Amino acid sequence: MESIKTFIQDYLVRLSLPKLKITDIIEIFLLAFLIYNVIKWVKTTRAWSLMKGLVILFAFWVIAYIFNFNVIIWIFVNTINVGIIALIIVFQPEFRKALEQLGQKSIVSPLFYLSDTKEKPERFSDETLNELVRATFELAKTKTGALMVIEQEVSLGEFERTGISLDAVLSSQLLINIFEHNTPLHDGAITIRGNRITAATCYLPLSDNMRLSKDLGTRHRAAVGISEVTDSFTIIVSEETGKVSIAKGGQLIRSVDGDYLRAKLLEIQKKAPGEVKKIKLWRGKRKDEKGNN
């Protein structure tokens, strides 16, 4: 009887939950959040195919271990270090993009916030905002393709250097003239800083987001691509349909109207709260919805 009691006690001790501290619970949540976001990020990049390949290799290694295939096990053990370095080199763009996106997350910004009583000046004037909206929908009426990137906190200098420097005051007439067909500056994107057009015919990085609709052309993929690596705000006019889209933070919103575009521009303008008028927003199509570009 005593041996049975001892066995039951030992068995219940093994089944008992370990003592958890507050720090342990916080650590579990942090790890769960990190693992979830890593998996979510991997699924939208080329690394997802890599993960499938690694699972197959791991299964092959387990089989080799079970059947004691010594040569295969030796090859696995001696190539794992080289393999990790090779993976870092091959997927360097994906790792860089992940770190850039991490730095742009709003959850990180409060950690580096320094109190500053001085209010920053507005990013661009009301006149520039009106000229942008006017030019965008004038271009949309004639189905003239356009790609306009508005700089925010992250500099667009490296992308400006791929184009032709302008440094001209922004106006609707100038924007329409730049994107007119068969003109020297119509191809590529323009960059905007404050109230000035800084460069034209700029090359932008294309997004490799697999969730983007397959009917999107290069112009829309470039808009999403630049929004993934910077905090810029991009306006796109489709050459095929004349519809207006916007891209920010890796998100593409399609088929927006004038009120919606104006409201989004007011958000990034950084105008004093009392000066901003409330505008009824019309929600455009999200990037994962089907529709013509």
Side-chain angles (χ1 to χ4, degrees), residues 140-195:
K141 284 179 186 177
T142 57
K143 293 186 178 180
T144 304
L147 190 55
M148 296 171 275
V149 187
I150 302 172
E151 182 184 271
Q152 295 197 76
E153 299 297 331
V154 179
S155 173
L156 297 175
E158 66 174 293
F159 304 104
E160 291 171 5
R161 287 191 286 273
T162 65
I164 298 172
S165 179
L166 289 183
D167 192 25
V169 176
L170 188 148
S171 67
S172 58
Q173 295 90 343
L174 179 56
L175 287 173
I176 292 168
N177 189 65
I178 287 173
F179 290 110
E180 187 65 36
H181 291 292
N182 302 320
T183 58
L185 301 179
H186 85 282
D187 196 19
I190 68 161
T191 54
I192 299 169
R193 180 181 298 117
N195 298 310

Side-chain angles (χ1 to χ4, degrees), residues 4 13 22 40 53 67 79 87 93 112 118 125 154 156 159 163 169 178 203 212 222 226 228 239 252 255 285:
I4 295 174
V13 166
I22 279 289
K40 187 179 176 183
F67 290 98
T79 57
L87 289 176
F112 301 96
K118 295 181 181 179
S125 65
V154 179
L156 297 175
F159 304 104
V169 176
I178 287 173
Y203 293 99
L212 288 174
I226 189 67
E228 288 174 341
E239 192 172 351
L252 179 69
S255 303
K285 294 179 182 178

Side-chain angles (χ1 to χ4, degrees), residues 93-248:
E94 279 75 15
F95 290 129
R96 178 182 174 182
K97 186 182 293 184
L99 291 174
E100 286 172 340
Q101 291 174 348
L102 179 63
Q104 293 170 19
K105 294 290 185 183
S106 58
I107 58 173
V108 179
S109 57
L111 299 176
F112 301 96
Y113 177 76
L114 297 177
S115 59
D116 188 1
T117 54
K118 295 181 181 179
E119 291 186 1
K120 293 184 179 180
E122 62 186 24
R123 205 175 299 283
F124 46 79
S125 65
D126 289 337
E127 183 180 358
T128 296
L129 188 151
N130 292 330
E131 293 292 302
L132 266 171
V133 176
R134 185 181 299 115
T136 298
F137 287 93
E138 285 295 326
L139 291 165
K141 284 179 186 177
T142 57
K143 293 186 178 180
T144 304
L147 190 55
M148 296 171 275
V149 187
I150 302 172
E151 182 184 271
Q152 295 197 76
E153 299 297 331
V154 179
S155 173
L156 297 175
E158 66 174 293
F159 304 104
E160 291 171 5
R161 287 191 286 273
T162 65
I164 298 172
S165 179
L166 289 183
D167 192 25
V169 176
L170 188 148
S171 67
S172 58
Q173 295 90 343
L174 179 56
L175 287 173
I176 292 168
N177 189 65
I178 287 173
F179 290 110
E180 187 65 36
H181 291 292
N182 302 320
T183 58
L185 301 179
H186 85 282
D187 196 19
I190 68 161
T191 54
I192 299 169
R193 180 181 298 117
N195 298 310
R196 305 183 74 84
I197 302 172
T198 54
T201 69
C202 299
Y203 293 99
L204 305 180
L206 297 181
S207 173
D208 57 0
N209 188 337
M210 301 192 183
R211 291 178 296 175
L212 288 174
S213 177
K214 299 298 181 185
D215 64 345
L216 292 175
T218 305
R219 186 175 286 113
H220 289 78
R221 289 190 173 275
V224 176
I226 189 67
S227 72
E228 288 174 341
V229 298
T230 69
D231 61 349
S232 61
F233 180 91
T234 305
I235 303 171
I236 315 104
V237 179
S238 172
E239 192 172 351
E240 290 76 22
T241 65
K243 292 181 179 179
V244 177
S245 305
I246 59 174
K248 189 176 188 302

Side-chain angles (χ1 to χ4, degrees), residues 54-119:
L54 289 176
V55 169
I56 293 171
L57 284 176
F58 179 74
F60 191 67
W61 179 81
V62 170
I63 293 171
Y65 185 80
I66 291 172
F67 290 98
N68 200 23
F69 296 153
N70 294 323
V71 176
I72 295 175
I73 294 171
W74 182 88
I75 292 171
F76 268 102
V77 170
N78 286 275
T79 57
I80 188 166
N81 292 332
V82 178
I84 291 172
I85 295 171
L87 289 176
I88 293 172
I89 294 171
V90 171
F91 289 92
Q92 182 267 341
E94 279 75 15
F95 290 129
R96 178 182 174 182
K97 186 182 293 184
L99 291 174
E100 286 172 340
Q101 291 174 348
L102 179 63
Q104 293 170 19
K105 294 290 185 183
S106 58
I107 58 173
V108 179
S109 57
L111 299 176
F112 301 96
Y113 177 76
L114 297 177
S115 59
D116 188 1
T117 54
K118 295 181 181 179
E119 291 186 1

